[in-house]
Amino acid sequence: STTVTSILLNTTTDAEAFISNAEVAVIGFFQEPESPEASQFRLAASRIPEVAFGLSSSPAVLSQYDVAANTIRLFRRVDNDWRDLDMNSEDIDAEKLTRFIRMNELRLVTEYNPVTAVGVMQSSLAFNLLLITDKKSPEHSKCMHGYRAAAELFMGKILFILVDINLKSNERVASFFKLKKSQLPALALFHVPDEEQDVVTLDEISVEHIQDFCNRFLE
C-alpha cells in the first residue's frame, strides 16, 4: 500500500487545524482531487516528507482562503505569511513545485543556503538574526537548543537564520559581517530596510544572551 503523503481537508475547521499545527503547511486547492495537477502535487509531497501537505477540493475551504482552484499555497508560521503558486499559469510539475516549497519554507530557524536565500530576502520581517557557526562543532546541538527557544520568543518580529560556515557559499556571509572562522559562533543582527547591523561573538549561545542582544538592538 502507498503511504498517504497529503491529508484530505474537507472542512474549513480541518484546514485551520492543519495550518496551525505546522511551522510550514502546504495546501493544494484543487477542483478535481484526481486531476493531473493534483497528482504532481502528491508526487512533490512524497519527495518532501518533512513538510505537511494537505489537499482540498471543498468549495467552502477555497472560498475561506479566497483562492482559485489549482493554486498551491504555502503557509508559514514564522512571519505569519503565505506564498502562492498558480498551477494553471504554466507547466508546473513536481520539480517546479518542490523548488517553490524549498525556496519559501521559512521556519522558526531557517538554514541559509542558495535556495532558502530567496525566501529569506522576500520575508515580510524587517529584522534578521543570523547564527553564524560551525555545524560540526561539538557544541552545536546545545547552541541550537538555545537559538530555537529564543526564536519562539521573537516569532513574528525577527527571522532567525542558521548560517553553517562549512557551506562554501556561506563564507561570503561571514566576510560580509567581517567575521573570521576563529571568531565563531557569532550572532549578527541585521535590519533589512536600512542595512543597520550589529555583531557579537559569544562563547555560549544561550536564550538570555540572545534576548539581551536582540532587545538592545530593537530599542
Side-chain angles (χ1 to χ4, degrees), residues 89-160:
S89 60
E90 52 190 297
D91 209 19
I92 305 269
D93 56 7
E95 200 109 326
K96 285 182 185 153
L97 189 53
T98 303
R99 236 188 82 219
F100 164 76
I101 293 162
R102 287 292 183 221
M103 267 164 48
N104 292 292
E105 57 161 343
L106 299 182
R107 298 173 169 275
L108 203 53
V109 173
T110 301
E111 272 205 49
Y112 194 78
N113 60 47
V115 180
T116 59
V118 179
V120 167
M121 305 290 179
Q122 295 171 350
S123 160
S124 50
L125 297 179
F127 295 95
N128 289 350
L129 179 66
L130 290 72
L131 170 58
I132 305 168
T133 188
D134 178 355
K135 262 178 88 171
K136 291 178 182 153
S137 116
E139 296 291 300
H140 181 70
S141 64
K142 199 165 141 244
C143 262
M144 276 310 288
H145 193 74
Y147 197 58
R148 279 191 71 87
E152 293 264 6
L153 303 174
F154 291 97
M155 192 161 56
K157 279 200 206 116
I158 299 175
L159 186 64
F160 275 58

Side-chain angles (χ1 to χ4, degrees), residues 9-210:
L9 308 166
N10 296 316
T11 66
T12 54
T13 318
D14 289 349
E16 277 165 19
F18 178 75
I19 293 162
S20 66
N21 273 330
E23 263 185 60
V24 176
V26 178
I27 300 183
F29 298 95
F30 297 105
Q31 220 152 7
E32 240 345 293
E34 297 309 322
S35 66
E37 290 90 353
S39 73
Q40 288 299 310
F41 178 76
R42 286 195 185 88
L43 185 57
S46 68
R47 289 179 185 173
I48 316 181
E50 70 279 14
V51 171
F53 282 80
L55 191 144
S56 189
S57 49
S58 143
V61 175
L62 267 76
S63 86
Q64 160 95 0
Y65 292 100
D66 194 22
V67 288
N70 290 346
T71 301
I72 308 301
R73 179 168 290 179
L74 179 142
F75 296 86
R76 306 193 294 230
R77 185 188 297 168
V78 64
D79 58 356
N80 198 18
D81 210 350
W82 69 76
R83 294 288 178 267
D84 283 352
L85 181 67
D86 179 3
M87 291 197 76
N88 295 319
S89 60
E90 52 190 297
D91 209 19
I92 305 269
D93 56 7
E95 200 109 326
K96 285 182 185 153
L97 189 53
T98 303
R99 236 188 82 219
F100 164 76
I101 293 162
R102 287 292 183 221
M103 267 164 48
N104 292 292
E105 57 161 343
L106 299 182
R107 298 173 169 275
L108 203 53
V109 173
T110 301
E111 272 205 49
Y112 194 78
N113 60 47
V115 180
T116 59
V118 179
V120 167
M121 305 290 179
Q122 295 171 350
S123 160
S124 50
L125 297 179
F127 295 95
N128 289 350
L129 179 66
L130 290 72
L131 170 58
I132 305 168
T133 188
D134 178 355
K135 262 178 88 171
K136 291 178 182 153
S137 116
E139 296 291 300
H140 181 70
S141 64
K142 199 165 141 244
C143 262
M144 276 310 288
H145 193 74
Y147 197 58
R148 279 191 71 87
E152 293 264 6
L153 303 174
F154 291 97
M155 192 161 56
K157 279 200 206 116
I158 299 175
L159 186 64
F160 275 58
I161 299 158
L162 173 69
V163 180
D164 178 22
I165 201 67
N166 295 299
L167 196 63
K168 196 91 188 99
S169 56
N170 283 344
E171 287 171 9
R172 284 208 321 272
V173 180
S175 63
F176 175 79
F177 292 107
K178 301 181 176 54
L179 287 162
K180 292 195 279 290
K181 204 165 178 177
S182 59
Q183 295 172 289
L184 304 179
L187 292 172
L189 197 45
F190 189 74
H191 184 236
V192 182
D194 60 12
E195 298 197 356
E196 199 186 323
Q197 52 171 278
D198 194 5
V199 178
V200 62
T201 58
L202 293 169
D203 296 333
E204 190 202 354
I205 305 287
S206 69
V207 181
E208 295 74 29
H209 287 149
I210 298 165

